[in-house]
Amino acid sequence: MNNLDHLDKLRELDPQGMLAVEESFYQQLQQGVEIAGQSDLSKISGKKYSGVVFTGMGGSGISGDIITALAADSSQAPMVSVKGYRLPRFITKDWLVVASSYSGNTEETLSCVQQAMDMGATMLFITSGGRLEQLAQNYDSVSAITVPAGLQPRGAFGYLFMPAYLALAQLGLLAVKQSHIEEGLEIVKQLSSQYNRKVETGKNFAKQVAVNIGDRLPLVYGQEGYLAPIAYRWKCEINENAKTPCFWAQFPELNHNETVGWERLDKLTKDFALIILSRPEGHPRIRARVEATKKLIDNNLGKVIEIPVKGQSSFAQAISTLYTGDIASVYLALYHGVDPTPVEKIEKLKAELAKLD
Ligand code: PA5
């Protein structure tokens, strides 16, 4: 029996309960929907925006990446996601600036917010507190959505993502169908019972993903559109929860460069596990590329793990595939006896930078 089927061991290895956070992802998404419904957007409603710019880093910034990708199929408003200190020059005061920071204290995000305030832009903040919450009290054109505190930012995805996504729908900047939200939540609900710790590895796909990665170096291949930020999220979750190096790329772009790179170092790459987010429908040329790529590089790899993307709507596909990666990365941590919660290196870095102030 491995760690994953040993309930006492799981509790012991995970004192801060990251697995429980993942097991209740469905409930958190539901709460995210409720928070969105209770939000007061009156200060930012009724305006005509030239576009939407998201600013946020890491676990808080991923929402902007996913919304931007989902919006590409359903919104006429340009949307961009900024991961750094500066807003691009083309952002003017007519853009809506959505700042997402779970702590409310992330310096890159605050720097973009300062620029937006200097130009008099309208803003939406999603935060659990910190400096961002304070700034909202002194600036007129901002609505702030406050979400429950006390989690790791990556474990608060449902709180950060749903209110941002649904607020944009409420503002008329994004077309969101209720039936798609229902479909996504229903699939997550089903998956969360299948992925529950009590379901043994033989029947638990999320545990199987972790076991199949094992000691191999994971590499995640997404595809153009919303499965690109989902692949990136898988990578980040494996990094942060399992404290494991992980890289990602997306079809079709990877076929124009990365595919060639499998020619050398095969002794090393035999220890890689390639995770492919695989959509049964979707662009036929992408499907053909996935199959052709597997044939080309299969001999150089230790393992190929295909993740079947579930659901019909893009929202359901994105959210359920994200969920599988989130919980599988926690199982990967626990499989190796690693506590999934702490992110000491991020904290050390932030502390080092704070000394420079
Ligand atoms: O997962 C993490 O802890 C990080 O990626 C943080 O999300 C990131 O450093 C930004 O912090 P915050 O989410 O508080 O804005």
Side-chain angles (χ1 to χ4, degrees):
M1 200 198 280
N2 68 54
N3 282 347
L4 301 183
D5 293 335
H6 195 310
L7 296 182
D8 291 339
K9 190 89 191 155
L10 289 180
R11 260 191 304 276
E12 181 193 314
L13 291 169
D14 183 20
Q16 296 175 70
M18 186 59 95
L19 183 55
V21 169
E22 292 304 340
E23 284 169 335
S24 58
F25 184 59
Y26 166 71
Q27 285 83 352
Q28 192 186 114
L29 288 172
Q30 271 187 322
Q31 277 176 271
V33 173
E34 281 161 26
I35 292 168
Q38 290 153 7
S39 309
D40 175 9
L41 301 179
S42 54
K43 285 191 183 169
I44 63 171
S45 301
K47 299 190 183 180
K48 185 148 176 41
Y49 295 108
S50 304
V52 181
V53 57
F54 295 89
T55 166
M57 305 301 295
S60 296
I62 188 72
S63 299
D65 296 344
I66 298 172
I67 295 173
T68 307
L70 287 172
D73 292 333
S74 63
S75 164
Q76 302 221 315
M79 292 200 189
V80 285
S81 177
V82 172
K83 300 291 191 66
Y85 289 91
R86 288 182 307 166
L87 297 175
R89 284 287 296 277
F90 60 79
I91 305 292
T92 61
K93 72 188 287 280
D94 305 325
W95 282 61
L96 174 67
V97 179
V98 182
S100 171
S101 170
Y102 190 63
S103 63
N105 293 323
T106 297
E107 62 177 43
E108 297 94 321
T109 313
L110 291 173
S111 161
C112 289
V113 164
Q114 187 59 54
Q115 279 174 61
M117 281 170 36
D118 291 346
M119 72 174 127
T122 301
M123 287 190 276
L124 172 64
F125 293 168
I126 323 275
T127 185
S128 71
R131 181 88 186 109
L132 209 52
E133 197 177 42
Q134 289 163 4
L135 286 173
Q137 281 153 21
N138 305 321
Y139 187 77
D140 273 347
S141 305
V142 64
S143 288
I145 300 181
T146 308
V147 302
L151 296 169
Q152 287 289 325
R154 63 189 183 282
F157 176 84
Y159 290 145
L160 296 165
F161 176 85
M162 290 311 303
Y165 187 58
L166 295 176
L168 292 184
Q170 233 178 296
L171 295 169
L173 292 161
L174 201 59
V176 173
K177 286 200 179 135
Q178 179 61 23
S179 59
H180 293 177
I181 303 285
E182 282 162 13
E183 185 202 11
L185 265 65
E186 184 52 37
I187 295 174
V188 167
K189 188 178 176 189
Q190 286 164 14
L191 291 178
S192 62
S193 53
Q194 292 164 21
Y195 296 162
N196 188 278
R197 72 184 77 197
K198 291 187 188 140
V199 181
E200 292 196 349
T201 305
K203 291 189 178 152
N204 186 325
F205 182 67
K207 289 185 182 177
Q208 287 166 13
V209 170
V211 172
N212 281 324
I213 294 172
D215 272 326
R216 298 183 185 91
L217 189 143
L219 192 63
V220 189
Y221 280 1
Q223 40 181 280
E224 64 172 4
Y226 51 85
L227 288 183
I230 300 303
Y232 175 62
R233 167 75 174 188
W234 269 69
K235 172 217 127 57
C236 296
E237 289 287 272
I238 290 173
N239 295 149
E240 291 185 64
N241 288 328
K243 283 59 170 175
T244 298
C246 182
F247 302 92
W248 78 288
Q250 60 177 293
F251 287 102
E253 174 64 13
L254 68 90
N255 282 154
H256 298 272
N257 33 66
E258 180 150 326
T259 307
V260 187
W262 291 92
E263 285 187 18
R264 285 189 59 248
L265 304 182
D266 60 325
K267 279 204 195 87
L268 189 69
T269 62
K270 285 256 167 47
D271 284 332
F272 286 17
L274 177 62
I275 298 165
I276 302 179
L277 309 185
S278 149
R279 189 159 43 181
E281 286 131 32
H283 200 301
R285 303 294 292 176
I286 301 263
R287 283 208 314 277
R289 282 174 182 278
V290 171
E291 292 313 313
T293 307
K294 276 196 295 190
K295 273 194 210 140
L296 278 172
I297 68 174
D298 203 29
N299 288 338
N300 301 57
L301 276 160
K303 191 101 195 165
V304 177
I305 305 169
E306 295 214 37
I307 309 298
V309 170
K310 296 184 184 303
Q312 295 301 314
S313 63
S314 45
F315 172 82
Q317 293 190 353
I319 211 81
S320 60
T321 311
L322 174 141
Y323 180 48
T324 301
D326 281 14
I327 194 159
S329 69
V330 173
Y331 281 132
L332 181 61
L334 299 169
Y335 182 66
H336 291 299
V338 169
D339 181 350
T341 303
V343 280
E344 278 168 22
K345 287 196 165 54
I346 294 180
E347 277 155 22
K348 276 192 186 148
L349 247 160
K350 288 184 179 177
E352 279 299 309
L353 285 160
K355 283 189 209 153
L356 305 175
D357 292 341

